[in-house]
Amino acid sequence: MASSVLSREEELYWLALKLIPGLGTRTSGKLLDRFRTPQAIFRASRTELEGAGLNGAVAQSIASGCSFEEAAAQQAKMLETGAEVVTIGDPRYPPSLREIFDPPTLLFVRGRIELLQSLMLGVVGTRRPTPYGVAVAERLSGDLAHAGLTIVSGMARGVDTAAHRGTLAAGGDTVAVLGCGVDVVYPSENRKLAGAGADCFGVPHGGDGFPAEFPHPQPDHQWHERGSAGSGGSAVQRIGHHCQAGDGPGPGSFRRPGEHHFEIKLGA
């Protein structure tokens, strides 16, 4: 895989690979492991591609180069919006993200790309928190950002928005990881938050968010097996627990009765 910032031609090939119909992240990663670069993948014959495990339709799409026209259009839009492609082999790619079960082969990034190399902490949670939950998410994120951590969330309504807002209010750094195009702000009321730090996207310009575009999280036990925070590995600390209406918050819980849990994911 590439190990440096891409040239325009290299970027075009990465975009064309991303835009092949029916080619998922995992299969794309396997192709890169075998052929090393997108250029080599597109130079391969249909027979070689099918030998690598592709079905006939996807192999034909790659062999025909049908995605290059759209890839060129994406490059033009990236120039307009100031977005960049960061591939899985790029030294700017977040190290902890590279370690998950099914890492995206490329990210569309707008803003302060250097934040992807900072010490990050993810704060995520329900889209319908209580006022208490919003206050805790804002204060916790602000305090942690003030301590030097970059707060990562998904800019969704609720806890995610509170995490970004609390971080910015404290003068901290924040990264938004979204499942929509770099030119799409969702939800629309978060336009003031967009671009405040670094925005990372899994889909090209104009793409609407949908579940398949989000990286698949590892089960909690896999995170814990990698080590605790500060040990050079990654860990998940679950704050609170699931409550039914009428239950009181348990020890260490930040929630009120009936509120869903939220998690803090630590990546070292």
Side-chain angles (χ1 to χ4, degrees), residues 38-57:
Q39 293 95 316
I41 293 172
F42 280 102
R43 286 196 298 265
S45 67
R46 176 170 174 171
T47 300
E48 289 175 312
L49 294 171
E50 290 179 349
L54 294 185
N55 64 48

Side-chain angles (χ1 to χ4, degrees), residues 139-187:
R139 180 174 178 180
L140 179 64
S141 299
D143 288 348
L144 292 168
H146 185 72
L149 295 172
T150 296
I151 302 301
V152 183
S153 198
M155 211 187 291
R157 295 184 179 97
V159 168
D160 288 25
T161 293
H164 292 301
R165 189 168 56 227
T167 299
L168 295 173
D173 296 323
T174 186
V175 173
V177 181
L178 304 178
C180 56
V182 71
D183 55 340
V184 178
V185 178
Y186 181 83

